[in-house]
Amino acid sequence: MTSFAAIIILTSSIAIAGVSNLTDKTDTVQQYNLIIVFKEPVSSDVWRVSITLEGHDSSINCSGLLGPNVYYLQTRSVSRDLIVAPLYYVLDKVCPQIISEIQILAGSSGNKTLLITIHVPDNYMVRSSMDWRSYGPAGGPYRVDLESFARYYIFDGIVLANRRIYDINDYIEENLTVIMQRNIPENVVKYAVESLLIVRSTLTKWLGPSPRSPCVLVIVGPEEHSFLPPNTAHSMGSIVYMKLSSYAEDILPWLVHTAAHETSHGWFNHGMLYGDFSFQEAAAEFLAMKALHDNNPRLYRLAVNYLNDMLDVDEQYSVWMRVNAALWYAGIQACDRDVYIDTVRRLYNLSITTGLKDSISLLDVIKMMVEELQSPCRETLEALVGRVLIAASTKSSTWPLIDISSLSVDMKTMTNLTGCPSRELVNYTVQQHGKLNVTAGIENKEFPENGVAQHGKSDIYLNKSRIKQIAIKDINSSGSYGNAQLIADRYEQILWFLIGLGFGAMFSIVIVSKRYIT
């Protein structure tokens, strides 16, 4: 009996040990090391670089030269004193087989981390977006789960700067690193920083937090990076790069506008919400301008001065921006809430949580806007969609820079198109202008810097409870106000009173008839 019990105990111990050993193997994290060594510049715009990937069943070592690729905008900012380039480009240029290995490892099962170490020569300093993502100290080394690296941060950039020429300032409270050429006036840099912070904060509220929201700003003078013309900018998501044409304050309209636009690409980019020109570039442009318009009139006036020049020549960014603006305005006209931003937020959430495989176009946005609505709002918006292009075809100097008269809701004529009840029939009188920026309440939420975007309300919506009178801010720059009165309640009361009289009369007739028959 004792020996049998001992056998049972021994067998149980072996089984428990086996399960524990299996659990340990399953939970074991496999670590890989990615080591990038910028050895030395060999010319004014070429560097000698070596890269190594080592870890479980992996060992790859390459050396090569890194220089600009004139065919891609984001890869032209490479010089002896400053490298601002996507990490993907650095790997692809020097050791492309490492990219393939990382993609295979990220797609396989098991927990894997990547320790990224970047070595630079003396008097140089390195920065990346991972400095602000809790992956490691400024300049690295960074410890990132391999799946997140393959999905997001491999497309982000790294910055290698000569400290003798460039100032590198880390602003802890703003979660921002500013790398600037020392002879650039601080006042110029201030405008770019302010524009970036406003748009970053606003899009975080509208769409949700982004794992690639901008946290590094690089500003260079006209003599840097000879393969890029002056007044050139690009975004790698977390890194915004700007090359000035001069140091005079007459560049401020371009500077503010461009910093705002490139900041938006922290949401509209590879691995995130990605689409064709009609949506990705145009929505980034529209939301950047709207963020400035809603939050800082001074910066908006500067940005719109530059944008007006684009509007005058029907530049493609401005044309498609106006289409997005008209679609946004149509949603507010039809439903008295921001249907456009609600829809873009849903698309962004899908891209983060599930990873949208297909490129998004403005047609997809329109379809989703309409499908998510209920009657009569849905039918009203459907009828207005046809007018969007007409409204966008005529530019305006006042926000939202389109012909809003084309989108004014004339419900008397639209009843025939949609079957919606005519607002004129209930005496819903609204002035021709003044249906924007209506906020009956704002839902304030804390949005963490890291994390998946949570679905929430837009900061522009209407309280749907019945109201007697609404004061609506005029969209004109004068700041005047228009009034709208809803007096449907009075007619509704009269209607019910008449119905009551009718029922009372019928009841009286029935009683009299019964008495007569009896």
Side-chain angles (χ1 to χ4, degrees), residues 94-372:
V94 178
C95 199
Q97 53 266 49
I98 287 182
I99 296 178
S100 300
E101 183 71 8
I102 287 175
Q103 290 172 339
I104 292 171
L105 292 172
S108 61
S109 60
N111 298 323
K112 306 177 185 68
T113 62
L114 187 65
L115 184 66
I116 306 166
T117 306
I118 303 173
H119 297 284
V120 298
D122 292 339
N123 297 319
Y124 283 83
M125 186 174 287
V126 66
R127 285 290 185 270
S128 83
S129 67
M130 291 178 284
D131 296 337
W132 299 101
R133 312 295 189 200
S134 302
Y135 291 126
Y142 311 109
R143 189 182 301 276
V144 190
D145 67 282
L146 206 144
E147 184 179 356
S148 294
F149 177 79
R151 182 176 179 184
Y152 299 123
Y153 303 112
I154 195 172
F155 299 111
D156 260 353
I158 58 172
V159 182
L160 177 66
N162 188 337
R163 290 186 292 181
R164 295 172 178 171
I165 299 175
Y166 287 90
D167 286 330
I168 301 173
N169 301 306
D170 298 318
Y171 298 99
I172 305 300
E173 292 184 0
E174 288 78 15
N175 284 356
L176 182 68
T177 297
V178 178
I179 301 172
M180 54 178 284
Q181 209 163 319
R182 287 183 177 172
N183 56 345
I184 297 177
E186 290 186 3
N187 187 49
V188 172
V189 178
K190 175 186 174 183
Y191 276 92
V193 170
E194 193 175 0
S195 183
L196 183 152
L197 293 177
I198 286 174
V199 175
R200 187 181 71 178
S201 173
T202 304
L203 263 65
T204 299
K205 293 177 182 178
W206 286 347
L207 305 183
S210 167
R212 293 179 63 191
S213 60
C215 52
V216 180
L217 173 64
V218 182
I219 304 179
V220 305
E223 66 279 358
E224 185 63 273
H225 297 140
S226 58
F227 287 95
L228 287 171
N231 277 11
T232 298
H234 60 71
S235 168
M236 284 162 269
S238 295
I239 296 179
V240 173
Y241 169 92
M242 306 185 74
K243 179 176 178 177
L244 309 181
S245 60
S246 73
Y247 304 135
E249 291 195 358
D250 60 2
I251 67 167
L252 291 182
W254 172 85
L255 184 79
V256 171
H257 168 273
T258 306
H261 174 91
E262 299 302 338
T263 298
S264 297
H265 282 298
W267 286 259
F268 300 87
N269 219 313
H270 291 281
M272 301 172 62
L273 190 51
Y274 188 72
D276 65 8
F277 193 93
S278 70
F279 177 59
Q280 178 172 314
E281 290 295 338
E285 176 77 0
F286 169 66
L287 291 178
M289 293 299 296
K290 180 170 169 28
L292 294 181
H293 171 269
D294 291 0
N295 295 282
N296 194 307
R298 174 177 55 89
L299 292 181
Y300 171 74
R301 285 193 295 270
L302 284 169
V304 82
N305 284 340
Y306 176 77
L307 183 58
N308 281 333
D309 293 336
M310 300 168 65
L311 292 169
D312 289 340
V313 296
D314 286 330
E315 194 272 343
Q316 57 179 340
Y317 280 87
S318 67
V319 169
W320 283 105
M321 183 278 296
R322 293 204 305 265
V323 177
N324 280 260
L327 189 60
W328 163 76
Y329 189 81
I332 291 179
Q333 287 288 96
C335 305
D336 283 337
R337 66 181 180 88
D338 203 330
V339 183
Y340 174 88
I341 287 184
D342 286 347
T343 302
V344 175
R345 180 174 56 246
R346 284 195 295 272
L347 283 169
Y348 174 74
N349 289 340
L350 286 173
S351 71
I352 293 296
T353 56
T354 64
L356 295 175
K357 301 299 182 182
D358 298 327
S359 176
I360 303 298
S361 74
L362 196 58
L363 298 178
D364 298 314
V365 178
I366 295 172
K367 182 179 179 182
M368 180 175 281
M369 284 178 66
V370 172
E371 288 178 347
E372 295 290 328

Side-chain angles (χ1 to χ4, degrees), residues 328-438:
W328 163 76
Y329 189 81
I332 291 179
Q333 287 288 96
C335 305
D336 283 337
R337 66 181 180 88
D338 203 330
V339 183
Y340 174 88
I341 287 184
D342 286 347
T343 302
V344 175
R345 180 174 56 246
R346 284 195 295 272
L347 283 169
Y348 174 74
N349 289 340
L350 286 173
S351 71
I352 293 296
T353 56
T354 64
L356 295 175
K357 301 299 182 182
D358 298 327
S359 176
I360 303 298
S361 74
L362 196 58
L363 298 178
D364 298 314
V365 178
I366 295 172
K367 182 179 179 182
M368 180 175 281
M369 284 178 66
V370 172
E371 288 178 347
E372 295 290 328
L373 299 175
Q374 297 180 351
S375 297
C377 177
R378 175 173 180 167
E379 290 81 7
T380 307
L381 182 57
E382 284 178 340
L384 280 179
V385 165
R387 305 185 187 183
V388 164
L389 294 178
I390 298 175
S393 65
T394 304
K395 52 183 172 288
S396 171
S397 60
T398 57
W399 182 256
L401 309 175
I402 58 171
D403 176 21
I404 62 171
S405 63
S406 299
L407 291 170
S408 297
V409 179
D410 183 355
M411 297 304 297
K412 187 172 184 178
T413 58
M414 292 185 67
T415 302
N416 298 327
L417 297 174
T418 67
C420 299
S422 169
R423 294 188 184 183
E424 278 197 3
L425 295 180
V426 292
N427 287 329
Y428 186 90
T429 58
V430 180
Q431 291 188 0
Q432 184 73 9
H433 302 293
K435 301 208 64 173
L436 284 182
N437 297 336
V438 183

